[in-house]
Amino acid sequence: MSDQFYFRALLSGRDFARDDPTARAMLNLVYALGDRETGEALLVDPAYRPDELVSLVRADGLEVTGVVASHYHPDHVGGDTFGADIAGIRELLEIIDVPIHVQRDEVEWITRTTSVGADSLVAHESGDIVRVGAIDVTLIHTPGHTPGSQCILAEGHLVSGDTLFIDGCGRTDLPGSDPEEMYVTLCQRLSEVGDDVVLFPGHLYSSEASANMRSVREFNFVLAPSTREQWLAMFA
Ligand SMILES: [Fe+2]
């Protein structure tokens, strides 16, 4: 399966949207994953220049057949942020007609941020599997940063959006954030993910773009507290 599995990380402002100062400043990582044999691919968080992202996947010989949104923030799905209008899933849907896979708890937030109707979104429960070609992609509901944040697990790759970074985790002081949920996400909901799985976060906030969960568990300070009380005292 490893040769069949297509996986690509694309850094905003460097690999695409090079002329966009917001994209350069935000250091978002967009991921394309799919099945090289069937030529189908999913884009995770196609913001800034969805047209370029679709073209980059096409240049690799695959077609984007679906989108997964990690959460509602405009640097991941498009929308207005601090006066900047970021392109995202709304503009992508003008190019290609594909399902947008989201967690059920994020639907209202994404529709509000992007003006994409709920009928264009596929609402999922935690543990749902989306198939792309012969590849199973598991969606894990990981609230905390936002109510319906999700991580995407496929072929030993965990695409984590703004839930978990190599150093640190997503902010829990934003609209819809919940520090208690983040604690449960980090210490329980993601505890099933194996040590050999490699973490691919939604921003390049570390010198390394990815790391296996064994080293993240060893070195990431947000995974250090051993009790809920300790965690909340440090990070809430
Ligand atoms: Fe975010």
Side-chain angles (χ1 to χ4, degrees), residues 13 24 29 46 52 59 109 126 133 177 182 230:
R24 281 203 299 274
L29 283 159
E52 260 188 71
W109 297 82
S126 193
S177 293
M182 183 60 100
Q230 221 176 45

Side-chain angles (χ1 to χ4, degrees), residues 35-181:
D35 183 332
R36 291 181 193 277
E37 284 188 10
T38 67
E40 294 159 85
L42 295 176
L43 275 176
V44 181
D45 293 350
Y48 301 107
R49 287 297 301 275
D51 56 334
E52 260 188 71
L53 292 163
V54 169
S55 297
L56 283 164
V57 172
R58 273 188 194 147
D60 287 341
L62 293 87
E63 196 61 39
V64 174
T65 57
V67 163
V68 180
S70 69
H71 67 295
Y72 80 86
H73 289 154
D75 55 320
H76 297 262
V77 293
D80 276 324
T81 181
F82 304 113
D85 189 19
I86 299 176
I89 57 173
R90 189 182 68 214
E91 291 74 10
L92 181 130
L93 288 172
E94 290 166 5
I95 313 168
I96 50 173
D97 183 21
V98 296
I100 313 284
H101 299 282
V102 306
Q103 283 295 309
R104 188 170 302 284
D105 289 351
E106 205 75 346
V107 169
E108 62 177 289
W109 297 82
I110 290 177
T111 54
R112 208 180 307 144
T113 308
T114 64
S115 313
V116 167
D119 53 349
S120 297
L121 306 177
V122 182
H124 288 277
E125 311 297 333
S126 193
D128 279 4
I129 291 172
V130 173
R131 292 210 101 197
V132 53
I135 309 287
D136 281 347
V137 177
T138 305
L139 306 179
I140 307 169
H141 183 203
T142 55
H145 181 59
T146 70
S149 278
Q150 62 181 344
C151 294
I152 295 106
L153 182 63
E155 297 291 315
H157 299 60
L158 184 74
V159 174
S160 59
D162 286 356
T163 291
L164 179 62
F165 299 114
I166 293 168
D167 300 303
C169 64
R171 287 174 60 175
T172 55
D173 59 343
L174 299 170
S177 293
D178 186 332
E180 300 224 8
E181 288 290 354

